[in-house]
């Protein structure tokens, strides 16, 4: 079993969300050590699954050693689509931006 970090960040693009995760996220120090990220596309899911469920399964697979992700990279899954009509709250909870879950080995 490996130690795995996960953090959620919002941004217009995955690049901007990765920057937010590196500099403002709870696991920022771990993510700052990474050179970049690999974007995983969410497959067609059953009605009972969400993109967030898929992202957690990916992180669990990484922890168990079933997912081959280089140590110098983070995994990234888009878990929520932006809602342009939403009311802005603050940068971290702004639903007008996409939400991404980043994960990787510590």
């Amino acid at each position: 079993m490996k130690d795995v970090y996960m953090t959620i960040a919002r941004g217009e693009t995955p690049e901007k969300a990765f920057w937010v995760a590196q500099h403002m996220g709870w696991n920022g120090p771990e993510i700052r050590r990474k050179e970049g990220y690999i974007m995983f596309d969410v497959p067609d899911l059953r009605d009972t699954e969400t993109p967030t469920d898929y992202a957690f399964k990916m992180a669990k697979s990484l922890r168990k050693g079933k997912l081959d992700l280089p140590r110098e990279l983070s995994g990234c899954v888009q878990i929520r689509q932006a809602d342009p009509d939403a009311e802005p709250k603050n940068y971290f909870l702004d639903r007008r931006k996409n939400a991404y879950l980043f994960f990787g080995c510590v």
Side-chain angles (χ1 to χ4, degrees):
M1 290 244 186
K2 300 176 182 178
D3 287 336
V4 173
Y5 67 84
M6 291 186 292
T7 194
I8 296 172
R10 289 187 179 265
E12 292 87 8
T13 64
E15 292 84 13
K16 289 182 180 181
F18 188 65
W19 186 91
V20 169
Q22 285 180 317
H23 294 88
M24 298 176 194
W26 178 261
N27 294 309
E30 288 86 4
I31 299 174
R32 269 194 291 278
R33 293 186 206 115
K34 306 300 180 186
E35 296 173 2
Y37 60 91
I38 295 175
M39 190 78 179
F40 291 98
D41 292 327
V42 178
D44 291 334
L45 301 172
R46 296 174 295 179
D47 292 336
T48 58
E49 285 186 312
T50 65
T52 306
D53 295 332
Y54 175 73
F56 280 116
K57 284 182 185 177
M58 296 289 287
K60 190 174 183 180
S61 296
L62 179 64
R63 186 167 39 101
K64 291 183 176 182
K66 296 179 182 177
L67 179 65
D68 187 27
L69 181 67
R71 271 189 110 55
E72 62 273 0
L73 296 175
S74 285
C76 176
V77 176
Q78 183 175 348
I79 58 172
R80 175 158 246 146
Q81 189 71 25
D83 180 9
D85 298 328
E87 290 291 322
K89 293 187 179 184
N90 63 40
Y91 189 85
F92 299 109
L93 301 175
D94 191 353
R95 294 183 318 190
R96 296 175 301 161
K97 296 178 175 63
N98 297 320
Y100 301 90
L101 188 135
F102 294 96
F103 60 93
C105 293
V106 175

